[in-house]
Amino acid sequence: MGIKTALPAAELGLYSLVLSGSLAYAGRGLLEASQDGAHRKAFRESVRPGWEYLGRKMDVADFEWVMWFTSFRNIIVFALSGHVLFAKLCTMVAPQLRSWMYAVYGVLAVVGTMGPWYLLLLLGHCASLYVASLVGQPWLCLALGLGSLASLKMEPLISWQSGFVTGTFDLQDVLFHGGSGFTVLRCTSFALESCARPDRRYSLADLIKYNFYLPFFFFGPVMTFDRFHAQVSQDPVRPEGELWRIQAQAGLSAAAVVAVDIFFHFFYILTIPGDLKFASRLPDSALAGLAYSNLVYDWVKAAVLFGVVNTVARLDHLDPPQPPKCITALYVFGETHFDRGINDWLCKYVYDRVGGDHSAVIPELAASVATFVITTLWLGPCDIVYLWSVLNCFGLNFELWVQKLAEHGPLAQIEARLSEQMSRRVRALCGAVNFWAIIMYNLVSLNSLEFTELVARRLILKGFPQTTLAVLFVTYCGVQLVKERERTLALEEEQKQDKEKPE
C-alpha cells in the first residue's frame, strides 16, 4: 500500500532541502576535523603528503586503494590492455577460438604474477571439483567446494598453500586470497551446473577457460558457469549503442577514481575512526556523517573495481554482474550486498534452494543461516566476521517477521485505515530505522567494533532524544527521495512495456 503513491512536490522539495543542508553541515564538521587532526601524531602513518603545492595531505589508510592506483597501476593497465588487444585480434581473425585466447592469456598472466607453482595449486582445485562433477551429486560438489574454500581460510593449510606463490610483493596476500577463493567459487559453480545438466557433460577444458578469464580472476565478480559458457559460446555481436555505453562506463570509473583522490585530500574518513579519542570529540552530526561516509566509500571502491572489470568484460561481448546498489539507496536488508557476483552465487546455489519463495519464516531462517555460514567462511572466520554475520542474518529475518506481522492482525487493520500517502510516510520512517541498522551492522566489519560502539553510544544513548530524532528525520527525508526515484523508474518501465505490447 502506498508504494506507487506520489507525494506533494512541496513536501519532496522540503525533504531535498533538509537532506542537502544536513549533508553540507555534516561535511563541514568532517572537513574541520580533518584539518585540525592533520598534524596529530596518531595520523602520521595514514595521512601522508599529497598536494604539496596546496598544502594538503592525503588519507592513505586503505593500502589496497593506494596500491591499485600507485605502484600497481601500470601493471594493471598493462595486463588488462594486453587482454583487450589480444581479444580484439582473436575476435577479428578467429572468433570461434576467443575463449581459448582468454584462457591462455589468463594462465600466462597468473604464471607471470604468482609463479608456476601457484598455477599448479589452482589446477589441483579445478581437477578435484571436475572429478566431483563427474559423480553427478550436487551435495558432494558443494561439500568439496566448501572444504576447498575452508582450506584457504584456516591454518595450517592456508600457510602451506600460500607457500606456492613465487616471490614476495605488496599485494601478494590480496592476489593469493582473491585468485584462490574465486577459483573455488567458479569451480563449484561449474560442478553444480554440470550436475544440473546430466545430459550435457562439460569438459575440463571448459572449466579452464571459465576459471582463467583474467578480468574476473583475481577480484571477481563471479559469473556463474552457465551464464559465462552461454555468452562466450555466442557469436560476438555488439548491440547498437553498446560501445557508447561502454565508453560512458569507463569514463564514470575514471571520474570516480579522481573524485576519491580529491575527497581524500580534504576528508580523512578512514583515519579518524582509528583515533577514538579524537573521534569522540566530533559533533554528533559529523560523527553520523563519518559513519555514513565509511560505507559510501566502500561502495565506491567496489563500484570502481566492478566498473573497470565490467568495462573490459563488455568489450569481450560478455554481460557481467552489475556493480552493487548504492548504499544511499539501501533501506532493506534483502538488497544489501557489496559484491553482486557473490550475492548471485549464494542466492542461486544456497539461499533460493533452501528458502524457496522466501515467504515462510522457518525456511527463510534456514536459508539465511546457511547463506551467512558460507559467507563467514568466504570472508575468513574470526570474531568480527561472526558478529557481522549474526547481525545481518538477524536483520534479514527480522524484516520478514515484521512484514508477516504487518500483513495480519491489528497492524494490517491500522494501515488499511491510513491514506496511501500516509502509509508511504510510515513505511519510510521504518525504512529510516532500517537504514541505520544496515549502517551499524556493516560498520562493525568495515571499520571496527570500538568505533561502532562509539557511534551507537553517541547517536542513540547520549544523543537521545535530540540527536536521535534529528538523524532519523534526515534519514527519513533521504528514504522518501529514494522511494520517489524508485516510483518514477517503475512508472517509466510500465510505460515502456505498454508501448511494446502489440495493439
Side-chain angles (χ1 to χ4, degrees):
M1 183 176 181
I3 300 300
K4 297 182 179 180
T5 303
L7 294 179
E11 183 176 347
L12 293 174
L14 175 63
Y15 293 154
S16 300
L17 182 62
V18 170
L19 181 63
S20 57
S22 300
L23 290 176
Y25 184 72
R28 178 184 176 185
L30 278 178
L31 178 61
E32 293 176 351
S34 299
Q35 292 175 337
D36 295 340
H39 301 286
R40 286 177 62 85
K41 184 177 180 180
F43 285 19
R44 289 180 182 175
E45 293 297 323
S46 54
V47 177
R48 304 283 181 83
W51 296 339
E52 296 184 359
Y53 50 88
L54 292 179
R56 303 297 311 180
K57 293 187 175 183
M58 181 180 180
D59 191 339
V60 294
D62 187 349
F63 83 98
E64 286 184 11
W65 180 274
V66 174
M67 289 295 173
W68 287 346
F69 298 105
T70 54
S71 57
F72 279 83
R73 177 187 56 202
N74 294 336
I75 297 175
I76 294 173
V77 171
F78 176 78
L80 292 181
S81 298
H83 172 90
V84 172
L85 176 62
F86 284 108
K88 183 62 177 178
L89 291 175
C90 186
T91 302
M92 295 172 60
V93 177
Q96 70 277 11
L97 298 177
R98 64 192 182 107
S99 60
W100 275 111
M101 193 288 305
Y102 297 156
V104 171
Y105 187 87
V107 167
L108 292 177
V110 171
V111 171
T113 306
M114 309 293 284
W117 291 107
Y118 178 71
L119 175 64
L120 291 177
L121 173 67
L122 298 184
L123 290 176
H125 285 292
C126 293
S128 64
L129 279 158
Y130 173 72
V131 172
S133 71
L134 298 178
V135 179
Q137 297 295 326
W139 67 267
L140 177 62
C141 297
L142 185 59
L144 182 59
L146 295 180
S148 299
L149 187 60
S151 72
L152 297 168
K153 303 296 180 179
M154 300 179 181
E155 295 290 353
L157 292 176
I158 178 62
S159 297
W160 175 71
Q161 293 183 85
S162 62
F164 283 82
V165 180
T166 301
T168 57
F169 47 94
D170 291 333
L171 282 180
Q172 176 177 313
D173 288 341
V174 176
L175 297 182
F176 171 80
H177 287 288
S180 304
F182 281 116
T183 290
V184 170
L185 293 186
R186 285 188 288 262
C187 291
T188 304
S189 174
F190 170 87
L192 292 173
E193 294 298 335
S194 297
C195 294
R197 295 170 175 80
D199 56 323
R200 180 174 183 179
R201 288 293 181 183
Y202 298 107
S203 66
L204 182 60
D206 292 325
L207 175 56
I208 298 300
K209 289 186 286 186
Y210 168 52
N211 184 61
F212 288 96
Y213 179 68
L214 182 62
F216 294 165
F217 183 79
F218 285 112
F219 301 110
V222 177
M223 180 186 287
T224 55
F225 175 74
D226 57 325
R227 291 185 57 198
F228 180 87
H229 185 74
Q231 293 178 24
V232 83
S233 301
Q234 294 174 350
D235 293 332
V237 179
R238 202 177 301 282
E240 184 180 354
E242 177 69 7
L243 192 59
W244 182 89
R245 289 189 289 270
I246 293 174
Q247 293 172 343
Q249 184 181 43
L252 286 175
S253 299
V257 173
V258 174
V260 170
D261 188 81
I262 295 174
F263 185 86
F264 279 162
H265 279 85
F266 293 92
F267 300 92
Y268 305 148
I269 61 169
L270 303 181
T271 296
I272 293 176
D275 187 352
L276 294 179
K277 184 178 180 180
F278 182 76
S280 62
R281 301 174 187 170
L282 295 177
D284 291 344
S285 59
L287 189 62
L290 181 62
Y292 166 73
S293 60
N294 268 258
L295 264 74
V296 171
Y297 165 70
D298 197 74
W299 170 79
V300 171
K301 182 179 174 181
V304 168
L305 179 60
F306 273 67
V308 172
V309 171
N310 286 5
T311 298
V312 177
R314 291 172 68 183
L315 287 172
D316 292 336
H317 304 274
L318 298 180
D319 182 20
Q322 296 303 304
K325 190 174 181 179
C326 179
I327 185 65
T328 303
L330 290 177
Y331 53 89
V332 177
F333 274 92
E335 299 178 358
T336 304
H337 52 263
F338 293 91
D339 189 320
R340 197 181 294 270
I342 293 178
N343 180 75
D344 293 345
W345 191 98
L346 288 169
C347 287
K348 181 171 186 178
Y349 299 123
V350 182
Y351 187 59
D352 291 340
R353 292 196 179 190
V354 179
D357 60 358
H358 306 291
S359 60
V361 174
I362 300 302
E364 175 68 8
L365 178 61
S368 59
V369 169
T371 300
F372 277 101
V373 166
I374 297 176
T375 305
T376 299
L377 186 60
W378 166 256
L379 295 174
C382 64
D383 292 342
I384 288 296
V385 174
Y386 295 149
L387 178 60
W388 174 86
S389 294
V390 170
L391 291 174
N392 282 273
C393 185
F394 168 76
L396 184 62
N397 282 276
F398 187 72
E399 281 183 347
L400 179 62
W401 302 341
V402 173
Q403 178 183 346
K404 290 295 182 182
L405 186 63
E407 291 175 353
H408 307 283
L411 291 180
Q413 297 175 4
I414 292 174
E415 187 177 19
R417 299 193 193 102
L418 300 177
S419 66
E420 290 191 347
Q421 290 185 342
M422 186 56 66
S423 174
R424 171 173 162 171
R425 296 184 183 105
V426 172
R427 287 175 177 266
L429 182 60
C430 295
V433 176
N434 222 28
F435 180 86
W436 273 98
I438 292 173
I439 288 182
M440 300 302 292
Y441 290 177
N442 287 278
L443 198 62
V444 169
S445 62
L446 295 179
N447 205 289
S448 69
L449 179 59
E450 293 77 14
F451 178 66
T452 306
E453 291 177 348
L454 172 64
V455 175
R457 187 169 61 252
R458 286 281 299 277
L459 299 186
I460 300 176
L461 299 180
K462 290 186 177 180
F464 187 82
Q466 292 88 347
T467 300
T468 306
L469 295 179
V471 170
L472 282 180
F473 178 67
V474 172
T475 309
Y476 165 83
C477 295
V479 171
Q480 284 287 23
L481 295 175
V482 171
K483 281 180 171 289
E484 184 64 21
R485 175 62 176 167
E486 292 174 346
R487 188 190 69 85
T488 303
L489 292 176
L491 290 176
E492 291 177 354
E493 184 64 24
E494 288 183 1
Q495 294 174 358
K496 181 179 179 182
Q497 292 178 357
D498 291 339
K499 291 180 180 179
E500 293 176 352
K501 289 181 180 179
E503 297 181 0

